[in-house]
């Protein structure tokens, strides 16, 4: 297979491969999807061949993204995504809870979205500062 990319496009492909592999494998421990690690390794090995050696390093016999790559801002993009998803999921879960977890259909869809928007507004203004949980000590 042949794929023609500019240097900039290839660099973006490295970012996308790293982010995708991070999403799939970062929480799996030893039960990683090895085929995704393999593709990532192939791409970062190719980066060396293309004069981007600073982006790759060897680890336990495999080519992996270098520390310079991982610390170069890619995790800030991942964290921004995770923060957005966290608040969106939390807002929807809380809105559904407030509605007693009834099935959502045309009759209550707007109400669900109104509640989600209210939670999102709160999180944008205050983060999680106003969230409390009452814990009773047994």
């Amino acid at each position: 297979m042949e794929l023609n990319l500019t240097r900039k496009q290839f660099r973006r492909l490295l970012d996308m491969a790293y982010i995708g592999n991070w999403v799939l494998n970062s929480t799996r421990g030893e039960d990683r999807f090895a085929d995704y690690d393999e593709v990532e390794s192939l791409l970062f090995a190719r980066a060396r061949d293309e004069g981007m050696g600073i982006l790759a390093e060897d680890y336990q016999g495999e080519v992996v993204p270098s520390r310079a790559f991982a610390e170069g801002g890619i995790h800030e993009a991942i964290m921004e995504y995770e923060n957005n998803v966290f608040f969106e999921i939390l807002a929807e879960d809380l809105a559904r809870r407030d509605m007693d977890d009834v099935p959502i259909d045309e009759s209550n869809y707007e109400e669900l979205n109104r509640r989600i928007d209210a939670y999102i507004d709160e999180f944008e203004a205050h983060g999680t500062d106003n969230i409390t949980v009452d814990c009773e000590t047994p």
Side-chain angles (χ1 to χ4, degrees), residues 25-36:
N25 278 324
S26 67
T27 61
R28 298 188 61 83
E30 296 298 317
D31 190 29
R32 294 175 67 87
F33 293 114
D35 48 343
Y36 288 91

Side-chain angles (χ1 to χ4, degrees), residues 120-136:
I120 294 294
D121 290 346
E122 171 63 25
F123 298 148
E124 286 176 354
H126 303 285
T128 57
D129 291 345
N130 294 331
I131 295 176
T132 60
V133 176
D134 293 329
C135 296
E136 293 182 27

Side-chain angles (χ1 to χ4, degrees), residues 38-124:
E38 181 183 339
V39 170
E40 181 185 72
S41 183
L42 288 169
L43 288 170
F44 278 86
R46 182 64 183 261
R48 280 185 176 159
D49 297 340
E50 297 297 324
M52 299 180 219
I54 193 168
L55 303 178
E57 61 188 42
D58 293 314
Y59 178 75
Q60 297 182 346
E62 298 291 327
V63 179
V64 297
S66 69
R67 174 173 240 125
F69 175 87
E71 294 176 355
I74 197 73
H75 281 277
E76 284 80 7
I78 293 169
M79 285 175 48
E80 183 177 337
Y81 169 78
E82 288 174 341
N83 284 337
N84 287 332
V85 169
F86 167 76
F87 285 115
E88 289 172 8
I89 291 170
L90 181 59
E92 183 171 345
D93 284 353
L94 292 171
R96 286 177 180 270
R97 178 211 56 194
D98 294 350
M99 295 173 67
D100 298 322
D101 291 313
V102 298
I104 303 302
D105 59 27
E106 293 175 8
S107 69
N108 59 7
Y109 182 76
E110 285 186 31
E111 175 65 14
L112 175 66
N113 281 322
R114 187 187 64 73
R115 289 173 183 263
I116 290 171
D117 289 344
Y119 278 113
I120 294 294
D121 290 346
E122 171 63 25
F123 298 148
E124 286 176 354

